[in-house]
Amino acid sequence: MRLNLTINGNALSYDAAPGDSLLSVLRKLGYYGVKHGCETGECGACAVLLDSKPVNSCVHLAVQADGHQIETIESLGEYPEQGWKTTAGLHPLQAAFVESGAIQCGYCTPAMILAASELLSNEPNPTEYQVREALSGVLCRCTGYLKPVQAVLRAAAVLRGEEVEPIGTSIPVPPGWIPGENELGKPKDEIFSPNEQPIPPGSVVTPMRVMPRIQMAPETETWHHVGKPEIKVDAIKLVQGKPAFTADFEKRGMLIAKVLHSPIAHARIKRIDITRARNLEGVAAVLTWQDIPRVVYSTAGQSDPIPGPLDSFSLDHKVRFVGDRVAFVAAENEEIALKALELIEVEYEPLQELFDPERAMQPGAVIIHDETEYVNFAESDPTKNLAAQIRIDIGNVDKGFAEADRIIEGYYDVPKVQQVHIEPHVVITYWDEDDRLVIRTSTQVPFHVRRQLAPVLGLPIKRIRVIKPRIGGGFGGKQEVLIEDVAAHLTIATGRPVIYEYTREEEFIAARSRHPMRIHLKTGIKQDGTITANAMYTLSDTGAYGCHALTVTGNTGHKGMALYVGDGPYRKAPNIRFYADIVYTNHPPAGAYRGYGVPQGFWALERHMEKIARELGLDPIDFRLKNALRTGELHPFSTAWSEGREPRPETIETCRLEECVRQGRAAIGWDQKFGSPAWRLGAGQPHLRRGIGVALVMQGTAIPYLDMGSASIKMNDDGSFNLLVGATDLGTGSDTVLAQMAAEVLGVPVQDILVYSSDTDFTPFDKGAYASSTTYISGTAVVRAAEQVADRIRARAARIINKQAMGEKINPEDIALIDRQAIAPDGSRISLSEIGHDAFHRVDQEQIMGIGSYVSPVAPPPFAAQFAEVTVDIETGQVVVDKLVMAVDSGVIVNPITASGQIEGGMTQALGYAVCEEMVYDQAGRARERNLKDYHIFQAHEMPELTTLFIETFEPSHPFGVKAVAEIPIDGVAPAVGNAVFDACGVNVDDNPITPEKAWRAIQQGNLV
Ligand code: FES
Ligand code: FES
C-alpha cells in the first residue's frame, strides 16, 4: 500500500503493509528518536506529533498517517557546530532538558519534549499543572519527573523572552543551617508560575531551582569540576534522539527472533515438533533443546565465582514457570516469526506445581531442580528446593533476649515488583569479518556477558565481542545475562545477524523482578529503648531459578540489620541474627533490582522500629538514633558475611545520620506536625487524616575484595583526552561523573574528556553497573589513570618550560594543571594542546596514556533519613503521598544535578513499591500484570512534592571522598509511608504496597484514631 507521508516537512512515499504501525514505519525510515517501549499505547515512548497533536505511534497504523504531517524529535533542533556549517542549534526545550538535568537514560526524552512542544505551542505560559498533564502520557522510570517539569517551565520562559536564573547557581548550606518549611516550600520568588493562574488543589508547586540543597564538605572548596553541576556528557545526543541505543542499529539481512514461552508452570516436554514452523516460508531457524549443547550456567551477571547455583540452560526439556523458554525462532520479519511460534507443536507432561514458599522445603514437596547437571553453591540444596541458605549470628542473641525487658515480634511481607526500564531488553548478534561473534546488547554487565556466555555458546572468550551502547534504564534488570544467548544461538544456527527485543508482556512474564519475601523480626528492648538483641528470619521466593538468590537476600540482612546495633554495652558488642532460606517455586525467577534486597529488609525493620517506639512510648526518631550505628564503629556484619571474599573487619569512617535527621525533619516540618491533632485532622475534610513518617536507612558502596573497575585515558594532540571505561552508564550519569573526576585531575573542562563506554574489545575490564559501585570503584580507577597521564604531562611540561627558561629549574611535581594549561610556580605556563602536539610530533615522541584499576578493601555505607507525609481517606482507604523529603549522606556529591536526579527517581520508584506496584499470579502461576496499564507506575501528574538534601561527608577511602547514591533512595520510602499511614489513622499495614483495599481493611479491623 503506497502511503504519502510528510515527515518533519519532507514529503515522501512509502510502501507499507496494511498492518504496519506508524512506529515501525518511522523507525524503518531512520527516525530513531521514536522509541519502542510497549506495544499497547501505554508508555508514550513512541509519541510523535500527527498534525501537531501527540499520538502514540505504536498503536497508530501507518495508513492512518497517509496524507498527514508527522513531526518527530529530529524536527526540533540539532547540534549547533557542524564543521563548516552551523545550524540554529538546539530548540529551547532541548536546551532546557540538557541544562536542567532532565535526562537520565534519555529513552523517554524525545517523547517528553514533543509532548511539551505541543503544549507550549498552544499555551506559552503554562502552569505547572498543565505541564504535568502534558507530560503525563510519557512514562519515565528514571527522573521522578521533577527536572523534566522544571525544564519545560524554563523553556517556556525562554520562549517568552524572559531571563532565567543560571542553572549552576550553587546553593551551599552552612553547617548550622536548618531550612524552615517555607524556605524549602513555596517562597514566592521561587515559584515558576508567572501567569498567576490558580493552581488546582493537590498539584505540586515546584521551586524553580534545579540544584539540591547541599551541606558541603570543606575538602571540596578548591575543586573546579568535582562537586559542580556539569552537563551530562551524553545529554546532547539524547535530546536529539540520535541512534544511540541497541535497537537503533541495523545490519543488512537481519533476522527477527521470537521465543515460544511455556503456558504452564511445571512440566516436562514430552514431544516437540517444529516441522511445520521450520517449513514456513521466511523462517530461517527453529531451535529446541535438542538442537543446542546442554550447558548448565547461571544467568546472574556477577563476578567469578558466581555466588549462586548453576541451574539454567538456554533451552531445556523441562519448563519451570509460565513464561519459561520452549523454543527459539528466527525469521525474515516479525509476522512470520510469530506465525512460526503458533506452528510449533508441544506435548507437555504436567508436573505438580509449587507456588507456596512455605511448602517448598517441607517433606514431599515436588523437586523443581532434579537435573543431574545442577551445580551447588555454598548452602544450596535442590533436593529441598533450597537455592541458598544463610545463617549469621553476631554476638549472643539468646543472651541479648534474656537481658531484654520486652521482646516484640512482627511479620512483614514484601511483594514481587518489576524494574520497568522503559527500554525493553534488546540484543543484536552477528558474526564479524573475522568470524568473531559480536553481541550488541543493552546490558549492565558486558564483561560478565562475555565470560558467562562463552561456554554456553561453545566459543572461547576471545571470539566474543560485547558492545554496550546507550542503555535505556536497567535498575538491575539488565544485570542478568537474560536474552543474549537467544540471539547468539540463532546467529550461530543461521550465520545471519539477529535482533531479539522483548515485548512489554515478555518483560512481565519472562524477565526478572524483586524477590518477594516474608520476614519475621524479633527484637529485645530495655525499657529505656536500648535494643539488646535483634533477629530477622527471611523466607525469600527466588522463583524457578536461583539467579542472585544468595546475594540479594544476604543484603536484606547485611544492610538492614546492620543499622541498629543497640546502645551502651550493646553498641560495642551487638547481638544480631540473620537467618534466611531462599527457595525455589514455580513463579517466574526473581533477580537483581535496584536496592538489591535492601528495600525488603528496611520495609520490615523500619515498620518494626516504629511499632516498638509507639509501644514503648518513645519518640520514634530519638529511639532510632539512640540505637543506630555511628562513625568509628565496626560494621557489625563485616566480620560475619560478605558478598565477595572472606569477611574482614570494616570501620564506619563517615556517618552523618544525625545531621540527615536534623535537616530532614526541619525540611518537612516534623516538629510542627508530628503529634499535632490539629495538623492531623486539618486536611480540610472530616474523612481525611494526615500523617507523617520517618525511616532511617543505609546501603553499601561496591563489593569489597571482589569487584574490579578499570579505566584508560589517552591524550590527543589538541589536549583533549579519550577516557575508555568498561563501566556502564544506565542513565545514572556515571559517564559524566567519571569524566568530571578525570577533568579535575587533568585540569581541563569536562567537554575535553571524550568518554567511551563500553566494548569488551576496546575498553578495559569493569565488573559493570551494580552494587552502587561505579562512582566509587570505577571512579578510583579513573583517578589512577588520570594521575599517570598528569604525571607524564607535568614531566613534558617541565622539560619544555626548563628549555625555554634561563633561571631556576622547575620540578614536574610543582606544576599545576588548570584551565587546559600546565602552570609552574613562577607563573610560566604551557598549554595542554602544545604538550599533546609535542608528544606526537616533536621530541621523545610518545602516546601519553594511563591505565588504572581498583578493587576496594571496604564498602563504606551511605546513610539517609527518609521522611514522608500522607493523606489517608478513611472511608476508601486511599493513601495519597503528599511529600517526600530525603536527607542523604553519600559522601562528596560529584554532580549535584545528576545525584539529585538519582534521589528523585529512586524515591519515585520506591513510591510505587509503597502504594501500588505488585506482581500477582493466579492459581496456575499465570501473571495478572502483563502491561503498563495493569502494572501502574507513577506518572508526572500524580507525583508528590520531592525534596533532596545532601549532607556531605568526605569518605577517606576514595580520592574525592565519595560514597554511593544510586540505590539508597529506594530503601526508605515504603516504610516511611507505612509509618505515616499509622500516624494518620493508627492502623498498621504490614504487607506492602499499601493499596486502598489493604488500608481500608486495616481501618475496618483496627483502632482508628
Ligand atoms: S511504545 Fe507506544 S506507547 Fe509504548
Ligand atoms: S530518562 Fe525517562 S525513562 Fe529514563
Side-chain angles (χ1 to χ4, degrees), residues 174-213:
W177 175 83
I178 297 185
E181 197 196 355
N182 281 343
E183 193 175 345
L184 276 180
K186 307 172 181 67
K188 181 82 173 147
D189 63 341
E190 291 184 16
I191 296 174
F192 216 95
S193 183
N195 60 358
E196 298 294 340
Q197 290 182 14
I199 295 161
S203 67
V204 177
V205 180
T206 297
M208 176 183 170
R209 284 176 178 159
V210 174
M211 287 279 281
R213 301 265 177 184

Side-chain angles (χ1 to χ4, degrees), residues 102-109 112 138-145 148 232 238 245 420-423 470-475 730-731:
I103 305 163
Q104 288 194 26
C105 80
Y107 203 73
C108 69
T109 303
M112 277 214 185
V138 183
L139 296 179
C140 177
R141 194 58 157 171
C142 304
T143 63
Y145 304 102
K232 276 177 63 140
L238 295 171
F245 295 88
V420 193
H421 30 77
I422 303 300
E423 179 201 39
R470 181 72 213 172
I471 304 175
F475 314 114
L730 315 179

Side-chain angles (χ1 to χ4, degrees), residues 93 111 178 188 221 243 308 346 467 488 667 776 806 827 941 971:
L93 267 166
I178 297 185
K188 181 82 173 147
E221 271 169 20
V346 190
I467 300 171
Y776 184 78
M806 308 297 290
H941 64 307
D971 293 339

Side-chain angles (χ1 to χ4, degrees), residues 55 125 219 231 335 405 480 582 742 779 822 902 907 919 958:
V55 297
N125 204 7
E219 292 88 343
I231 282 173
E335 198 182 347
D405 295 329
E480 200 76 10
I582 304 101
Q902 288 289 292
M907 283 199 284
M919 298 168 81
H958 186 275

Side-chain angles (χ1 to χ4, degrees), residues 35 37-38 41-44 46 56 58:
K35 303 296 184 198
C38 69
E42 282 138 14
C43 76
C46 63
N56 286 334
C58 68

Side-chain angles (χ1 to χ4, degrees), residues 653-733:
E653 299 287 349
T654 51
C655 172
R656 295 196 67 205
L657 193 51
E658 280 194 37
E659 185 65 9
C660 290
V661 167
R662 201 170 78 91
Q663 301 289 357
R665 75 190 287 168
I668 202 161
W670 177 274
D671 294 343
Q672 296 81 41
K673 295 169 183 169
F674 183 73
S676 162
W679 177 77
R680 196 166 61 82
L681 300 170
Q685 299 193 48
H687 61 286
L688 300 181
R689 300 278 190 281
R690 292 197 293 206
I692 190 164
V694 65
L696 305 189
V697 292
M698 64 184 278
Q699 257 284 350
T701 301
I703 306 173
Y705 297 107
L706 181 73
D707 277 343
M708 196 260 277
S710 47
S712 70
I713 300 178
K714 70 182 179 70
M715 188 178 191
N716 298 314
D717 44 1
D718 63 349
S720 66
F721 300 88
N722 294 106
L723 168 60
L724 306 181
V725 289
T728 50
D729 187 336
L730 315 179
T732 56

Side-chain angles (χ1 to χ4, degrees), residues 51-186:
D51 296 335
S52 304
K53 291 271 171 269
V55 297
N56 286 334
S57 60
C58 68
V59 286
H60 209 88
L61 289 174
V63 67
Q64 293 175 279
D66 187 31
H68 293 274
Q69 305 273 339
I70 301 159
E71 286 165 76
T72 70
I73 190 72
E74 288 86 353
S75 68
L76 279 195
E78 54 187 334
Y79 193 72
E81 294 154 22
Q82 312 219 342
W84 48 264
K85 186 181 97 176
T86 52
T87 73
L90 298 177
H91 184 279
L93 267 166
Q94 292 170 305
F97 267 66
V98 169
E99 293 164 1
S100 306
I103 305 163
Q104 288 194 26
C105 80
Y107 203 73
C108 69
T109 303
M112 277 214 185
I113 290 175
L114 283 175
S117 78
E118 192 262 343
L119 169 71
L120 298 189
S121 63
N122 294 316
E123 174 50 85
N125 204 7
T127 61
E128 178 180 338
Y129 183 79
Q130 288 172 307
V131 173
R132 287 183 178 271
E133 280 285 299
L135 298 184
S136 65
V138 183
L139 296 179
C140 177
R141 194 58 157 171
C142 304
T143 63
Y145 304 102
L146 180 57
K147 289 182 170 61
V149 168
Q150 291 169 319
V152 177
L153 293 168
R154 183 178 182 82
V158 170
L159 285 165
R160 290 193 302 269
E162 295 169 13
E163 280 211 11
V164 290
E165 186 182 354
I167 287 287
T169 308
S170 178
I171 41 173
V173 174
W177 175 83
I178 297 185
E181 197 196 355
N182 281 343
E183 193 175 345
L184 276 180
K186 307 172 181 67

